[in-house]
Amino acid sequence: MSQSRRPFYAEAYAQALPQVEGIRRRIPSFSSPMLHVQRVGQLDADLLDEELTDLLAEPVKAALQNVSSTASTKHMSEIYLLLRLLLYKFSIMDRGASYGAMLQNLRYRNEWAHTSSLQSTARDAPLRPFQLTLYPILRILLPYAYNKTKAYMSDNRFSDAPGDSPEFLIWSLAEESLKMYNIATLINFAIFLWNGKYRTIVDRILGMRLVYANRSLNRSVSFEFLNRQLVWNAFTEFLLFLLPLIRPQQLLKRLARLPKNPAVLAALYGMLPEGISKRIHLHEDKDGRVRLGHAQAKNRLGPYYNLPEECCALCFQRLERAAGVDVDVRRQPEAIPAPAPSVSIPSVNPMHPSKGLVARRRGREKHADGGQTESSAAAQRAAARAAKVAELRAERRKQAPSQSTLEKPPSLLAASPNGIRYLDALATTPYQTLPCVEKGHECVYCYYCIAEQLLSENMADELADNGGWECLRCGEYVWGARRRDTDAEISMESVKKEL
């Protein structure tokens, strides 16, 4: 009866029980799965800590500037030492993680307490007191002491000391130690990239490893901002490559030529800004109808029609743009004051009549003889000269043809109302524009200026739309140029007459 009540697996269980007990005893010795912590998060935590230190150092340096202008420069290393110690106290010592590590959901743990079977345990061992004490010494105080010692050796020229002196020996040891430290840092970084355990040499020496503070959070790195930056960077580079090929100004002109309906032109004229309407030559005529293209040049002069004939209008326009002034040809030109006819040069000879004892004696004689006659004679001569100049100017005005001031070009030796000399815009290698010269206009430009204008990229559209480029003098549409028969020259007689 008892044998019938035994379960069917009793014999198998009795045979496997010793083996199951052995497996249970060996469970603590089994290796747990590796704990993987993202390397980019650990490196970003270090960068965030450095950025936080720099942000806190800026107001400290600004405050020290009010005390002394050189205090922040002299005590820069001490400022960073104090800030790093304060940040260590309120972050790693109190919370077990730096501020950058907290932002990355990381914290330090004692890796020595987590053997191979306890790597992925739910609870992390906290840092021991000796680890919290040695960390600021090795990571903060030791680099500060090394930098100060290196600066002291550089100021005292330890490197220039004799080869058998203690100074040179200390300098060589410091250099060799720096090289060894750099090699060790490189090796540690390579190992860190392989297993992702210890970020720095100090962390490896002290057994301090960064692990996740909350393992249930999402540990994926967000590349949304990086992707957005890459997209916009590629888009702007594509636009910079495409815009020189498209030439938006010509594209607007071609788009504006498509509609032939006056209602569409009127709607475009009302919607587009005034600057864009001028660029695509969309204007309103005298009858109130909106038209596309240049306005008619009949009975209309250019903005520089009143320049002297020897001046280049393009050069003058360039000078005005450089000076930041506007064109106003309806104002009276201002004449440049003429230089004095002669300048007396002082003599160094003490026996000269105007120097020394001779001059003093003559002065006393003049004063004794009532020498006011010479000054009065000079005043009379100046008045007679001024009256003669006024008469000559009046006769010249009578002999000149009766033309308005705006139609008569000013003198080449004068200046514009904006203070720009006409001589500065004198045409070199003068060329006459076509068809201006065929219609009796004396429109002269420099060869370089008119060639650059006629060979520009927009000239093809100007020829197709209006038959040429609008002249700055007569308003005709220029399609070519030819060499002037007689070059513009300024004779010395004309200069003397003006003076």
Side-chain angles (χ1 to χ4, degrees):
M1 184 74 179
S2 60
Q3 293 179 355
S4 62
R5 290 180 180 179
R6 292 180 60 185
F8 66 93
Y9 57 85
E11 294 182 5
Y13 175 76
Q15 294 177 1
L17 183 60
Q19 188 177 0
V20 171
E21 292 295 334
I23 294 174
R24 287 177 180 176
R25 286 192 300 268
R26 291 196 304 270
I27 284 177
S29 63
F30 291 166
S31 61
S32 62
M34 293 291 295
L35 177 61
H36 296 283
V37 182
Q38 288 184 347
R39 299 161 181 80
V40 63
Q42 301 181 55
L43 297 177
D44 287 344
D46 193 14
L47 294 177
L48 290 173
D49 291 333
E50 293 297 329
E51 289 293 331
L52 179 60
T53 307
D54 294 337
L55 288 176
L56 294 176
E58 289 300 327
V60 177
K61 290 188 288 186
L64 290 178
Q65 288 290 336
N66 300 326
V67 179
S68 175
S69 59
T70 59
S72 61
T73 306
K74 290 181 179 179
H75 305 288
M76 181 70 66
S77 55
E78 286 77 12
I79 293 173
Y80 276 90
L81 173 66
L82 180 61
L83 289 175
R84 288 191 176 101
L85 289 175
L86 290 175
L87 289 174
Y88 171 77
K89 169 62 177 63
F90 293 109
S91 59
I92 298 178
M93 181 172 286
D94 294 345
R95 302 184 181 182
S98 63
Y99 289 106
M102 294 178 194
L103 294 175
Q104 297 292 329
N105 187 30
L106 298 174
R107 65 187 307 272
Y108 279 109
R109 78 174 184 183
N110 183 13
E111 190 65 16
W112 291 339
H114 293 268
T115 57
S116 59
S117 61
L118 300 174
Q119 288 191 13
S120 301
T121 56
R123 297 185 63 181
D124 298 323
L127 297 176
R128 295 179 181 179
F130 81 93
Q131 291 173 324
L132 295 174
T133 304
L134 291 177
Y135 184 86
I137 296 175
L138 297 178
R139 188 73 187 272
I140 302 174
L141 296 177
L142 190 60
Y144 168 76
Y146 178 82
N147 292 331
K148 280 295 183 181
T149 306
K150 195 70 177 292
Y152 176 79
M153 290 188 294
S154 299
D155 294 339
N156 292 275
R157 298 181 178 275
F158 279 30
S159 60
D160 299 336
D164 56 347
S165 61
E167 291 83 2
F168 186 79
L169 179 61
I170 295 173
W171 174 269
S172 301
L173 289 176
E175 290 293 323
E176 293 297 327
S177 63
L178 181 61
K179 291 180 182 178
M180 296 299 296
Y181 176 76
N182 291 333
I183 294 173
T185 303
L186 178 61
I187 296 173
N188 178 79
F189 187 72
I191 299 174
F192 168 74
L193 293 179
W194 177 58
N195 58 16
K197 290 187 66 173
Y198 298 104
R199 183 184 55 184
T200 62
I201 296 179
V202 177
D203 295 349
R204 186 175 295 275
I205 293 174
L206 299 178
M208 300 169 58
R209 182 184 179 185
L210 284 172
V211 295
Y212 292 111
N214 188 354
R215 300 181 185 179
S216 62
L217 294 179
N218 185 14
R219 285 173 275 179
S220 63
V221 180
S222 177
F223 294 102
E224 181 181 357
F225 179 75
L226 179 61
N227 293 335
R228 191 183 303 126
Q229 291 294 109
L230 291 175
V231 168
W232 280 108
N233 186 27
F235 183 68
T236 52
E237 288 183 356
F238 176 72
L239 287 181
L240 291 176
F241 167 75
L242 189 63
L243 285 179
L245 302 178
I246 293 178
R247 291 183 288 186
Q249 183 176 354
Q250 297 183 6
L251 182 61
L252 287 175
K253 290 181 181 180
R254 296 183 183 276
L255 291 176
R257 292 194 205 105
L258 295 178
K260 301 298 183 180
N261 192 351
V264 177
L265 291 177
L268 286 175
Y269 184 75
M271 289 188 300
L272 294 177
E274 184 179 357
I276 298 179
S277 300
K278 287 183 179 180
R279 285 183 175 275
I280 64 176
H281 306 296
L282 192 66
H283 64 279
E284 188 176 3
D285 59 7
K286 297 180 179 179
D287 300 333
R289 292 177 298 181
V290 179
R291 296 183 179 276
L292 184 63
H294 285 281
Q296 295 296 327
K298 295 180 180 179
N299 299 326
R300 187 172 64 88
L301 299 176
Y304 298 99
Y305 73 92
N306 203 36
L307 284 178
E309 296 181 358
E310 297 84 357
C311 289
C312 173
L314 288 171
C315 292
F316 194 80
Q317 185 184 46
R318 193 179 301 111
L319 292 174
E320 282 192 330
R321 289 177 178 175
V325 296
D326 298 328
V327 181
D328 189 4
V329 297
R330 293 174 178 80
R331 293 172 56 188
Q332 292 291 338
E334 300 175 1
I336 302 174
S342 61
V343 180
S344 61
I345 302 176
S347 175
V348 295
N349 186 7
M351 299 304 295
H352 194 270
S354 61
K355 295 287 183 180
L357 298 175
V358 180
R360 295 177 186 175
R361 185 179 300 173
R362 288 190 177 185
R364 287 195 297 269
E365 292 175 356
K366 280 187 180 180
H367 183 70
D369 296 340
Q372 300 293 334
T373 56
E374 184 174 354
S375 60
S376 60
Q380 291 177 1
R381 288 196 298 271
R385 190 181 301 110
K388 187 175 182 180
V389 169
E391 291 177 1
L392 291 175
R393 288 179 178 176
E395 292 178 0
R396 188 176 300 173
R397 292 194 192 98
K398 292 179 182 179
Q399 295 175 359
S402 59
Q403 297 179 354
S404 62
T405 309
L406 291 176
E407 295 177 355
K408 183 179 179 180
S411 172
L412 187 62
L413 300 176
S416 68
N418 298 317
I420 300 176
R421 292 171 175 263
Y422 294 121
L423 275 174
D424 294 339
L426 188 65
T428 56
T429 315
Y431 267 66
Q432 292 177 325
T433 52
L434 299 173
C436 305
V437 64
E438 298 175 354
K439 297 185 178 181
H441 303 299
E442 291 292 335
C443 301
V444 178
Y445 294 89
C446 298
Y447 169 75
Y448 176 78
C449 296
I450 193 62
E452 183 182 15
Q453 186 65 38
L454 295 178
L455 296 177
S456 64
E457 297 180 355
N458 298 328
M459 191 59 192
D461 293 337
E462 297 285 347
L463 287 171
D465 295 341
N466 310 296
W469 167 70
E470 186 177 357
C471 180
L472 297 178
R473 285 179 172 271
C474 63
E476 297 288 343
Y477 294 118
V478 177
W479 49 264
R482 70 182 185 187
R483 182 70 181 269
R484 191 177 181 182
D485 296 336
T486 56
D487 293 346
E489 296 179 357
I490 304 176
S491 62
M492 294 302 297
E493 296 180 359
S494 62
V495 174
K496 290 179 180 179
K497 286 182 180 179
E498 292 293 337
L499 294 177

